[in-house]
Amino acid sequence: DFAYTDFANEIGLPGPKFILHDIIEGKDDYHLTKVFSCAQQFSWQYIVSIIKNRVSSVFTDEEIEKYARIYLNSGDKFFKLK
């Protein structure tokens, strides 16, 4: 995903300027760190949904605060569905 999005951006193909990954909790700490490190090298946005306690073992609270844009929980749902 990263390579294609970067290539498309470099040659000026129209398309989204983001990558969306859902459920990356299955990655081990090493690969989770590499994915986020790699994403920081590009000019497009990396969107991922992940449980906070899963990234707490890899990143500091300050790093999480720096990069997180929205927090959701069972009482604060995105679409406000019950």
Side-chain angles (χ1 to χ4, degrees):
D1 293 343
F2 286 6
Y4 175 77
T5 302
D6 190 47
F7 172 73
N9 194 34
E10 281 184 21
I11 65 171
L13 287 177
K17 303 293 185 216
F18 64 89
I19 290 179
L20 173 64
H21 282 150
D22 188 27
I23 308 174
I24 63 169
E25 282 89 1
K27 303 257 184 239
D28 60 43
D29 288 356
Y30 173 80
H31 288 102
L32 194 59
T33 303
K34 289 294 184 187
V35 165
F36 282 99
S37 176
C38 184
Q40 291 178 23
Q41 298 174 25
F42 300 105
S43 61
W44 35 264
Q45 190 174 27
Y46 182 52
I47 303 168
V48 62
S49 61
I50 192 165
I51 299 171
K52 185 177 179 183
N53 68 357
R54 176 61 187 99
V55 293
S56 295
S57 65
V58 179
F59 301 105
T60 66
D61 287 341
E62 291 80 21
E63 289 172 314
I64 294 169
E65 282 292 321
K66 180 179 178 181
Y67 296 110
R69 296 296 177 253
I70 187 171
Y71 295 93
L72 302 173
N73 59 48
S74 61
D76 184 17
K77 297 179 181 180
F78 189 70
F79 293 109
K80 308 296 183 214
L81 300 175
K82 304 235 182 233

Short mmCIF file of all heavy atoms in Angstrom, two decimals, residues 2-64:
data_model
loop_
_atom_site.label_atom_id
_atom_site.label_comp_id
_atom_site.label_asym_id
_atom_site.label_seq_id
_atom_site.Cartn_x
_atom_site.Cartn_y
_atom_site.Cartn_z
N PHE A 2 1.88 1.28 0.86
CA PHE A 2 2.74 2.45 0.96
C PHE A 2 3.47 2.70 -0.36
O PHE A 2 3.52 3.83 -0.84
CB PHE A 2 3.78 2.27 2.06
CG PHE A 2 3.25 2.38 3.47
CD1 PHE A 2 1.90 2.51 3.73
CD2 PHE A 2 4.10 2.36 4.53
CE1 PHE A 2 1.42 2.61 5.02
CE2 PHE A 2 3.65 2.46 5.83
CZ PHE A 2 2.31 2.59 6.07
N ALA A 3 4.03 1.67 -0.92
CA ALA A 3 4.81 1.82 -2.15
C ALA A 3 3.94 2.30 -3.30
O ALA A 3 4.34 3.21 -4.04
CB ALA A 3 5.49 0.50 -2.51
N TYR A 4 2.76 1.74 -3.46
CA TYR A 4 1.90 2.15 -4.56
C TYR A 4 1.44 3.59 -4.38
O TYR A 4 1.45 4.39 -5.32
CB TYR A 4 0.67 1.25 -4.71
CG TYR A 4 -0.25 1.78 -5.78
CD1 TYR A 4 0.05 1.60 -7.13
CD2 TYR A 4 -1.37 2.52 -5.45
CE1 TYR A 4 -0.76 2.13 -8.12
CE2 TYR A 4 -2.19 3.06 -6.43
CZ TYR A 4 -1.88 2.86 -7.76
OH TYR A 4 -2.67 3.41 -8.73
N THR A 5 1.01 3.95 -3.19
CA THR A 5 0.54 5.32 -2.93
C THR A 5 1.66 6.33 -3.17
O THR A 5 1.45 7.38 -3.77
CB THR A 5 -0.01 5.45 -1.50
OG1 THR A 5 -1.08 4.51 -1.34
CG2 THR A 5 -0.53 6.85 -1.22
N ASP A 6 2.86 6.00 -2.73
CA ASP A 6 3.99 6.90 -2.95
C ASP A 6 4.31 7.02 -4.44
O ASP A 6 4.53 8.12 -4.94
CB ASP A 6 5.22 6.39 -2.18
CG ASP A 6 6.33 7.40 -2.16
OD1 ASP A 6 6.06 8.59 -1.88
OD2 ASP A 6 7.48 7.02 -2.44
N PHE A 7 4.32 5.90 -5.15
CA PHE A 7 4.58 5.91 -6.59
C PHE A 7 3.52 6.74 -7.33
O PHE A 7 3.84 7.59 -8.15
CB PHE A 7 4.61 4.48 -7.13
CG PHE A 7 4.67 4.40 -8.63
CD1 PHE A 7 5.85 4.72 -9.29
CD2 PHE A 7 3.57 4.02 -9.36
CE1 PHE A 7 5.92 4.65 -10.68
CE2 PHE A 7 3.62 3.95 -10.75
CZ PHE A 7 4.81 4.27 -11.40
N ALA A 8 2.25 6.51 -7.04
CA ALA A 8 1.16 7.23 -7.69
C ALA A 8 1.28 8.73 -7.42
O ALA A 8 1.06 9.55 -8.31
CB ALA A 8 -0.19 6.71 -7.21
N ASN A 9 1.65 9.08 -6.21
CA ASN A 9 1.83 10.48 -5.85
C ASN A 9 3.00 11.10 -6.62
O ASN A 9 2.91 12.22 -7.12
CB ASN A 9 2.05 10.60 -4.34
CG ASN A 9 1.91 12.00 -3.83
OD1 ASN A 9 1.12 12.78 -4.33
ND2 ASN A 9 2.69 12.33 -2.81
N GLU A 10 4.09 10.36 -6.72
CA GLU A 10 5.28 10.86 -7.43
C GLU A 10 5.03 11.13 -8.90
O GLU A 10 5.54 12.09 -9.45
CB GLU A 10 6.44 9.87 -7.29
CG GLU A 10 7.16 9.94 -5.98
CD GLU A 10 8.35 9.00 -5.93
OE1 GLU A 10 8.86 8.60 -7.00
OE2 GLU A 10 8.77 8.67 -4.81
N ILE A 11 4.24 10.28 -9.56
CA ILE A 11 4.01 10.48 -10.99
C ILE A 11 2.75 11.28 -11.28
O ILE A 11 2.37 11.46 -12.43
CB ILE A 11 4.00 9.13 -11.76
CG1 ILE A 11 2.82 8.25 -11.33
CG2 ILE A 11 5.33 8.41 -11.60
CD1 ILE A 11 2.64 7.02 -12.21
N GLY A 12 2.10 11.76 -10.22
CA GLY A 12 0.97 12.66 -10.39
C GLY A 12 -0.35 12.01 -10.73
O GLY A 12 -1.24 12.66 -11.27
N LEU A 13 -0.51 10.72 -10.42
CA LEU A 13 -1.80 10.07 -10.65
C LEU A 13 -2.84 10.64 -9.70
O LEU A 13 -2.56 10.85 -8.52
CB LEU A 13 -1.70 8.56 -10.42
CG LEU A 13 -0.97 7.74 -11.46
CD1 LEU A 13 -0.91 6.29 -11.02
CD2 LEU A 13 -1.66 7.85 -12.81
N PRO A 14 -4.04 10.90 -10.19
CA PRO A 14 -5.08 11.37 -9.28
C PRO A 14 -5.52 10.22 -8.37
O PRO A 14 -5.50 9.06 -8.77
CB PRO A 14 -6.21 11.79 -10.21
CG PRO A 14 -5.99 11.02 -11.47
CD PRO A 14 -4.50 10.80 -11.58
N GLY A 15 -5.85 10.55 -7.19
CA GLY A 15 -6.30 9.52 -6.26
C GLY A 15 -6.17 9.99 -4.84
O GLY A 15 -5.75 11.12 -4.58
N PRO A 16 -6.53 9.14 -3.91
CA PRO A 16 -6.48 9.54 -2.50
C PRO A 16 -5.04 9.78 -2.05
O PRO A 16 -4.11 9.16 -2.55
CB PRO A 16 -7.09 8.35 -1.76
CG PRO A 16 -7.00 7.20 -2.70
CD PRO A 16 -6.99 7.77 -4.09
N LYS A 17 -4.90 10.67 -1.13
CA LYS A 17 -3.59 10.99 -0.55
C LYS A 17 -3.52 10.46 0.88
O LYS A 17 -3.04 11.11 1.78
CB LYS A 17 -3.34 12.50 -0.58
CG LYS A 17 -3.44 13.12 -1.96
CD LYS A 17 -2.33 12.64 -2.85
CE LYS A 17 -2.40 13.37 -4.18
NZ LYS A 17 -2.04 12.58 -5.30
N PHE A 18 -4.07 9.26 1.03
CA PHE A 18 -4.06 8.63 2.34
C PHE A 18 -4.12 7.11 2.18
O PHE A 18 -4.49 6.60 1.13
CB PHE A 18 -5.23 9.10 3.20
CG PHE A 18 -6.57 8.71 2.65
CD1 PHE A 18 -7.16 7.50 2.98
CD2 PHE A 18 -7.26 9.57 1.81
CE1 PHE A 18 -8.41 7.14 2.47
CE2 PHE A 18 -8.50 9.24 1.29
CZ PHE A 18 -9.07 8.02 1.62
N ILE A 19 -3.74 6.43 3.24
CA ILE A 19 -3.91 4.97 3.34
C ILE A 19 -4.70 4.71 4.60
O ILE A 19 -4.46 5.31 5.64
CB ILE A 19 -2.55 4.25 3.40
CG1 ILE A 19 -1.84 4.34 2.06
CG2 ILE A 19 -2.72 2.80 3.82
CD1 ILE A 19 -0.49 3.69 2.04
N LEU A 20 -5.66 3.81 4.49
CA LEU A 20 -6.51 3.45 5.62
C LEU A 20 -6.30 1.97 5.93
O LEU A 20 -6.48 1.12 5.06
CB LEU A 20 -7.98 3.71 5.29
CG LEU A 20 -9.01 3.25 6.28
CD1 LEU A 20 -8.86 4.01 7.60
CD2 LEU A 20 -10.41 3.44 5.73
N HIS A 21 -5.87 1.68 7.15
CA HIS A 21 -5.74 0.30 7.60
C HIS A 21 -6.64 0.10 8.81
O HIS A 21 -6.63 0.90 9.73
CB HIS A 21 -4.30 -0.02 7.99
CG HIS A 21 -3.41 -0.26 6.84
ND1 HIS A 21 -2.07 0.01 6.86
CD2 HIS A 21 -3.67 -0.75 5.60
CE1 HIS A 21 -1.54 -0.30 5.70
NE2 HIS A 21 -2.49 -0.77 4.91
N ASP A 22 -7.39 -0.96 8.77
CA ASP A 22 -8.26 -1.30 9.88
C ASP A 22 -7.71 -2.57 10.52
O ASP A 22 -7.35 -3.51 9.81
CB ASP A 22 -9.69 -1.53 9.37
CG ASP A 22 -10.69 -1.70 10.48
OD1 ASP A 22 -10.44 -1.17 11.57
OD2 ASP A 22 -11.70 -2.36 10.26
N ILE A 23 -7.60 -2.56 11.80
CA ILE A 23 -7.16 -3.72 12.58
C ILE A 23 -5.71 -4.11 12.26
O ILE A 23 -5.44 -4.94 11.40
CB ILE A 23 -8.08 -4.94 12.40
CG1 ILE A 23 -9.53 -4.57 12.65
CG2 ILE A 23 -7.67 -6.06 13.34
CD1 ILE A 23 -10.52 -5.68 12.36
N ILE A 24 -4.80 -3.47 12.95
CA ILE A 24 -3.39 -3.87 12.83
C ILE A 24 -2.84 -4.37 14.17
O ILE A 24 -1.65 -4.51 14.34
CB ILE A 24 -2.50 -2.74 12.27
CG1 ILE A 24 -2.46 -1.54 13.19
CG2 ILE A 24 -2.91 -2.36 10.87
CD1 ILE A 24 -1.38 -0.53 12.80
N GLU A 25 -3.75 -4.65 15.10
CA GLU A 25 -3.34 -5.13 16.41
C GLU A 25 -2.55 -6.44 16.35
O GLU A 25 -1.80 -6.75 17.25
CB GLU A 25 -4.54 -5.32 17.34
CG GLU A 25 -5.07 -4.05 17.94
CD GLU A 25 -6.12 -3.39 17.06
OE1 GLU A 25 -6.46 -3.93 15.99
OE2 GLU A 25 -6.60 -2.32 17.45
N GLY A 26 -2.73 -7.22 15.29
CA GLY A 26 -2.07 -8.51 15.18
C GLY A 26 -0.57 -8.41 14.91
O GLY A 26 0.15 -9.39 15.03
N LYS A 27 -0.10 -7.23 14.56
CA LYS A 27 1.33 -7.05 14.30
C LYS A 27 2.10 -7.09 15.61
O LYS A 27 1.64 -6.60 16.63
CB LYS A 27 1.58 -5.70 13.63
CG LYS A 27 0.84 -5.49 12.34
CD LYS A 27 1.75 -5.67 11.19
CE LYS A 27 1.02 -5.35 9.90
NZ LYS A 27 1.00 -6.44 8.98
N ASP A 28 3.30 -7.67 15.57
CA ASP A 28 4.12 -7.64 16.77
C ASP A 28 4.72 -6.25 16.94
O ASP A 28 4.63 -5.40 16.05
CB ASP A 28 5.21 -8.72 16.73
CG ASP A 28 6.16 -8.58 15.55
OD1 ASP A 28 6.59 -7.44 15.25
OD2 ASP A 28 6.48 -9.60 14.92
N ASP A 29 5.31 -5.98 18.10
CA ASP A 29 5.82 -4.65 18.41
C ASP A 29 6.82 -4.15 17.37
O ASP A 29 6.79 -2.99 16.98
CB ASP A 29 6.46 -4.62 19.80
CG ASP A 29 5.44 -4.71 20.91
OD1 ASP A 29 4.22 -4.72 20.62
OD2 ASP A 29 5.86 -4.78 22.08
N TYR A 30 7.71 -5.02 16.91
CA TYR A 30 8.72 -4.63 15.93
C TYR A 30 8.06 -4.13 14.64
O TYR A 30 8.38 -3.05 14.14
CB TYR A 30 9.65 -5.81 15.62
CG TYR A 30 10.61 -5.52 14.50
CD1 TYR A 30 11.76 -4.78 14.73
CD2 TYR A 30 10.36 -5.98 13.21
CE1 TYR A 30 12.64 -4.50 13.70
CE2 TYR A 30 11.23 -5.70 12.16
CZ TYR A 30 12.37 -4.97 12.42
OH TYR A 30 13.24 -4.68 11.39
N HIS A 31 7.12 -4.90 14.11
CA HIS A 31 6.47 -4.53 12.85
C HIS A 31 5.54 -3.33 13.02
O HIS A 31 5.43 -2.50 12.12
CB HIS A 31 5.73 -5.73 12.26
CG HIS A 31 6.67 -6.74 11.71
ND1 HIS A 31 6.96 -7.89 12.39
CD2 HIS A 31 7.41 -6.76 10.58
CE1 HIS A 31 7.84 -8.59 11.68
NE2 HIS A 31 8.13 -7.92 10.59
N LEU A 32 4.90 -3.23 14.16
CA LEU A 32 4.05 -2.07 14.42
C LEU A 32 4.90 -0.79 14.41
O LEU A 32 4.52 0.21 13.80
CB LEU A 32 3.35 -2.24 15.77
CG LEU A 32 2.19 -1.33 16.08
CD1 LEU A 32 1.08 -1.47 15.06
CD2 LEU A 32 1.66 -1.63 17.47
N THR A 33 6.06 -0.84 15.05
CA THR A 33 6.97 0.30 15.06
C THR A 33 7.43 0.63 13.65
O THR A 33 7.47 1.80 13.25
CB THR A 33 8.19 0.00 15.95
OG1 THR A 33 7.74 -0.33 17.26
CG2 THR A 33 9.13 1.18 16.02
N LYS A 34 7.76 -0.37 12.85
CA LYS A 34 8.22 -0.15 11.48
C LYS A 34 7.13 0.47 10.60
O LYS A 34 7.41 1.34 9.78
CB LYS A 34 8.71 -1.46 10.85
CG LYS A 34 10.01 -1.95 11.41
CD LYS A 34 11.10 -0.99 11.04
CE LYS A 34 12.44 -1.50 11.49
NZ LYS A 34 13.50 -0.52 11.29
N VAL A 35 5.90 0.01 10.75
CA VAL A 35 4.80 0.55 9.95
C VAL A 35 4.63 2.04 10.22
O VAL A 35 4.55 2.85 9.30
CB VAL A 35 3.48 -0.21 10.24
CG1 VAL A 35 2.28 0.55 9.72
CG2 VAL A 35 3.53 -1.60 9.64
N PHE A 36 4.60 2.42 11.50
CA PHE A 36 4.43 3.84 11.83
C PHE A 36 5.65 4.66 11.44
O PHE A 36 5.52 5.80 10.98
CB PHE A 36 4.10 4.01 13.31
CG PHE A 36 2.68 3.69 13.63
CD1 PHE A 36 2.32 2.46 14.15
CD2 PHE A 36 1.67 4.62 13.40
CE1 PHE A 36 1.01 2.16 14.44
CE2 PHE A 36 0.35 4.33 13.68
CZ PHE A 36 0.01 3.09 14.21
N SER A 37 6.82 4.10 11.58
CA SER A 37 8.04 4.80 11.17
C SER A 37 8.04 5.04 9.66
O SER A 37 8.37 6.14 9.18
CB SER A 37 9.27 3.98 11.57
OG SER A 37 10.43 4.58 11.10
N CYS A 38 7.66 4.04 8.90
CA CYS A 38 7.59 4.16 7.45
C CYS A 38 6.56 5.20 7.03
O CYS A 38 6.81 6.02 6.15
CB CYS A 38 7.26 2.80 6.85
SG CYS A 38 7.26 2.75 5.06
N ALA A 39 5.42 5.20 7.68
CA ALA A 39 4.34 6.14 7.33
C ALA A 39 4.77 7.59 7.53
O ALA A 39 4.33 8.48 6.79
CB ALA A 39 3.09 5.83 8.16
N GLN A 40 5.64 7.85 8.48
CA GLN A 40 6.09 9.21 8.74
C GLN A 40 6.98 9.78 7.63
O GLN A 40 7.19 10.98 7.56
CB GLN A 40 6.83 9.28 10.07
CG GLN A 40 5.93 9.06 11.26
CD GLN A 40 6.70 9.09 12.55
OE1 GLN A 40 7.77 9.65 12.64
NE2 GLN A 40 6.14 8.47 13.58
N GLN A 41 7.47 8.93 6.76
CA GLN A 41 8.37 9.37 5.70
C GLN A 41 7.63 9.96 4.50
O GLN A 41 8.26 10.54 3.62
CB GLN A 41 9.23 8.20 5.22
CG GLN A 41 10.11 7.62 6.29
CD GLN A 41 10.82 6.38 5.80
OE1 GLN A 41 11.03 6.20 4.61
NE2 GLN A 41 11.21 5.51 6.72
N PHE A 42 6.32 9.83 4.45
CA PHE A 42 5.56 10.24 3.28
C PHE A 42 4.74 11.49 3.56
O PHE A 42 4.46 11.83 4.70
CB PHE A 42 4.65 9.09 2.82
CG PHE A 42 5.41 7.85 2.46
CD1 PHE A 42 5.42 6.75 3.31
CD2 PHE A 42 6.14 7.79 1.30
CE1 PHE A 42 6.12 5.61 2.98
CE2 PHE A 42 6.86 6.66 0.96
CZ PHE A 42 6.85 5.57 1.81
N SER A 43 4.32 12.16 2.48
CA SER A 43 3.55 13.39 2.61
C SER A 43 2.05 13.14 2.73
O SER A 43 1.29 14.05 3.01
CB SER A 43 3.82 14.32 1.43
OG SER A 43 3.43 13.70 0.22
N TRP A 44 1.61 11.92 2.50
CA TRP A 44 0.19 11.61 2.61
C TRP A 44 -0.15 11.14 4.01
O TRP A 44 0.72 10.91 4.83
CB TRP A 44 -0.24 10.59 1.55
CG TRP A 44 0.78 9.55 1.23
CD1 TRP A 44 1.67 9.57 0.19
CD2 TRP A 44 1.08 8.36 1.96
NE1 TRP A 44 2.47 8.47 0.23
CE2 TRP A 44 2.13 7.69 1.31
CE3 TRP A 44 0.54 7.78 3.10
CZ2 TRP A 44 2.66 6.50 1.75
CZ3 TRP A 44 1.07 6.59 3.54
CH2 TRP A 44 2.11 5.96 2.86
N GLN A 45 -1.43 11.01 4.28
CA GLN A 45 -1.91 10.67 5.61
C GLN A 45 -2.07 9.17 5.78
O GLN A 45 -2.53 8.48 4.88
CB GLN A 45 -3.24 11.38 5.85
CG GLN A 45 -3.72 11.32 7.27
CD GLN A 45 -4.97 12.15 7.47
OE1 GLN A 45 -5.74 12.36 6.55
NE2 GLN A 45 -5.18 12.61 8.69
N TYR A 46 -1.70 8.68 6.95
CA TYR A 46 -1.88 7.28 7.31
C TYR A 46 -2.96 7.21 8.38
O TYR A 46 -2.83 7.79 9.45
CB TYR A 46 -0.57 6.69 7.83
CG TYR A 46 -0.65 5.23 8.18
CD1 TYR A 46 -1.13 4.31 7.27
CD2 TYR A 46 -0.22 4.77 9.41
CE1 TYR A 46 -1.20 2.95 7.58
CE2 TYR A 46 -0.28 3.41 9.73
CZ TYR A 46 -0.77 2.52 8.81
OH TYR A 46 -0.83 1.18 9.13
N ILE A 47 -4.06 6.53 8.07
CA ILE A 47 -5.20 6.42 8.98
C ILE A 47 -5.29 4.97 9.45
O ILE A 47 -5.33 4.05 8.63
CB ILE A 47 -6.50 6.83 8.28
CG1 ILE A 47 -6.38 8.25 7.74
CG2 ILE A 47 -7.69 6.69 9.23
CD1 ILE A 47 -7.49 8.63 6.79
N VAL A 48 -5.33 4.79 10.74
CA VAL A 48 -5.40 3.44 11.29
C VAL A 48 -6.28 3.45 12.54
O VAL A 48 -6.24 4.39 13.32
CB VAL A 48 -3.99 2.90 11.61
CG1 VAL A 48 -3.29 3.73 12.65
CG2 VAL A 48 -4.03 1.45 12.03
N SER A 49 -7.10 2.43 12.66
CA SER A 49 -7.86 2.27 13.91
C SER A 49 -7.15 1.21 14.73
O SER A 49 -6.82 0.14 14.23
CB SER A 49 -9.30 1.86 13.60
OG SER A 49 -9.33 0.63 12.93
N ILE A 50 -6.88 1.55 15.96
CA ILE A 50 -6.14 0.62 16.82
C ILE A 50 -6.52 0.89 18.28
O ILE A 50 -6.82 2.02 18.66
CB ILE A 50 -4.61 0.77 16.60
CG1 ILE A 50 -3.86 -0.37 17.26
CG2 ILE A 50 -4.12 2.13 17.04
CD1 ILE A 50 -2.42 -0.50 16.80
N ILE A 51 -6.50 -0.14 19.06
CA ILE A 51 -6.80 -0.03 20.48
C ILE A 51 -5.61 0.62 21.18
O ILE A 51 -4.47 0.21 20.99
CB ILE A 51 -7.11 -1.42 21.08
CG1 ILE A 51 -8.34 -2.01 20.38
CG2 ILE A 51 -7.31 -1.33 22.58
CD1 ILE A 51 -8.60 -3.46 20.72
N LYS A 52 -5.90 1.65 21.97
CA LYS A 52 -4.83 2.43 22.61
C LYS A 52 -3.89 1.58 23.44
O LYS A 52 -2.67 1.76 23.38
CB LYS A 52 -5.41 3.56 23.45
CG LYS A 52 -4.33 4.45 24.03
CD LYS A 52 -4.90 5.60 24.81
CE LYS A 52 -3.78 6.44 25.38
NZ LYS A 52 -4.27 7.53 26.20
N ASN A 53 -4.42 0.64 24.20
CA ASN A 53 -3.52 -0.15 25.04
C ASN A 53 -2.59 -1.03 24.20
O ASN A 53 -1.57 -1.49 24.68
CB ASN A 53 -4.27 -0.96 26.10
CG ASN A 53 -5.12 -2.07 25.53
OD1 ASN A 53 -5.21 -2.25 24.32
ND2 ASN A 53 -5.77 -2.80 26.41
N ARG A 54 -2.91 -1.24 22.94
CA ARG A 54 -2.03 -2.01 22.05
C ARG A 54 -0.80 -1.19 21.65
O ARG A 54 0.29 -1.70 21.56
CB ARG A 54 -2.79 -2.47 20.80
CG ARG A 54 -1.94 -3.18 19.79
CD ARG A 54 -1.33 -4.46 20.38
NE ARG A 54 -0.39 -5.04 19.47
CZ ARG A 54 0.93 -4.88 19.52
NH1 ARG A 54 1.48 -4.16 20.48
NH2 ARG A 54 1.71 -5.46 18.63
N VAL A 55 -0.97 0.10 21.42
CA VAL A 55 0.17 0.94 21.05
C VAL A 55 0.92 1.48 22.25
O VAL A 55 2.04 1.95 22.12
CB VAL A 55 -0.23 2.10 20.10
CG1 VAL A 55 -0.67 1.59 18.76
CG2 VAL A 55 -1.26 3.00 20.71
N SER A 56 0.30 1.40 23.44
CA SER A 56 0.97 1.89 24.65
C SER A 56 2.23 1.10 24.97
O SER A 56 3.13 1.62 25.64
CB SER A 56 0.01 1.83 25.84
OG SER A 56 -1.07 2.71 25.64
N SER A 57 2.32 -0.13 24.49
CA SER A 57 3.53 -0.92 24.74
C SER A 57 4.66 -0.55 23.78
O SER A 57 5.80 -0.91 23.98
CB SER A 57 3.22 -2.41 24.60
OG SER A 57 2.85 -2.72 23.26
N VAL A 58 4.33 0.21 22.73
CA VAL A 58 5.31 0.56 21.70
C VAL A 58 5.66 2.04 21.73
O VAL A 58 6.80 2.43 21.50
CB VAL A 58 4.77 0.18 20.30
CG1 VAL A 58 5.74 0.54 19.21
CG2 VAL A 58 4.42 -1.31 20.24
N PHE A 59 4.67 2.89 22.01
CA PHE A 59 4.86 4.34 21.95
C PHE A 59 4.58 4.98 23.30
O PHE A 59 3.77 4.49 24.07
CB PHE A 59 3.94 4.95 20.89
CG PHE A 59 4.16 4.40 19.52
CD1 PHE A 59 3.27 3.51 18.97
CD2 PHE A 59 5.27 4.76 18.78
CE1 PHE A 59 3.47 2.98 17.71
CE2 PHE A 59 5.49 4.24 17.52
CZ PHE A 59 4.59 3.35 16.98
N THR A 60 5.22 6.11 23.55
CA THR A 60 4.97 6.86 24.79
C THR A 60 3.63 7.58 24.68
O THR A 60 3.10 7.76 23.58
CB THR A 60 6.08 7.90 25.03
OG1 THR A 60 6.02 8.89 23.99
CG2 THR A 60 7.45 7.26 25.07
N ASP A 61 3.11 8.02 25.81
CA ASP A 61 1.86 8.79 25.80
C ASP A 61 2.03 10.05 24.97
O ASP A 61 1.10 10.48 24.28
CB ASP A 61 1.43 9.15 27.22
CG ASP A 61 0.88 7.95 27.98
OD1 ASP A 61 0.50 6.94 27.33
OD2 ASP A 61 0.82 8.01 29.22
N GLU A 62 3.21 10.67 25.02
CA GLU A 62 3.47 11.89 24.25
C GLU A 62 3.41 11.60 22.74
O GLU A 62 2.87 12.40 21.98
CB GLU A 62 4.83 12.49 24.61
CG GLU A 62 4.89 13.07 26.01
CD GLU A 62 5.09 12.00 27.10
OE1 GLU A 62 5.56 10.88 26.80
OE2 GLU A 62 4.72 12.29 28.25
N GLU A 63 3.96 10.48 22.31
CA GLU A 63 3.91 10.12 20.89
C GLU A 63 2.48 9.85 20.44
O GLU A 63 2.07 10.27 19.37
CB GLU A 63 4.79 8.89 20.62
CG GLU A 63 6.27 9.17 20.72
CD GLU A 63 7.10 7.91 20.64
OE1 GLU A 63 6.76 6.92 21.32
OE2 GLU A 63 8.08 7.92 19.90
N ILE A 64 1.73 9.17 21.28
CA ILE A 64 0.33 8.88 20.96
C ILE A 64 -0.44 10.19 20.83
O ILE A 64 -1.18 10.39 19.88
CB ILE A 64 -0.30 7.94 22.01
CG1 ILE A 64 0.38 6.57 21.96
CG2 ILE A 64 -1.80 7.81 21.78
CD1 ILE A 64 0.03 5.65 23.10
#
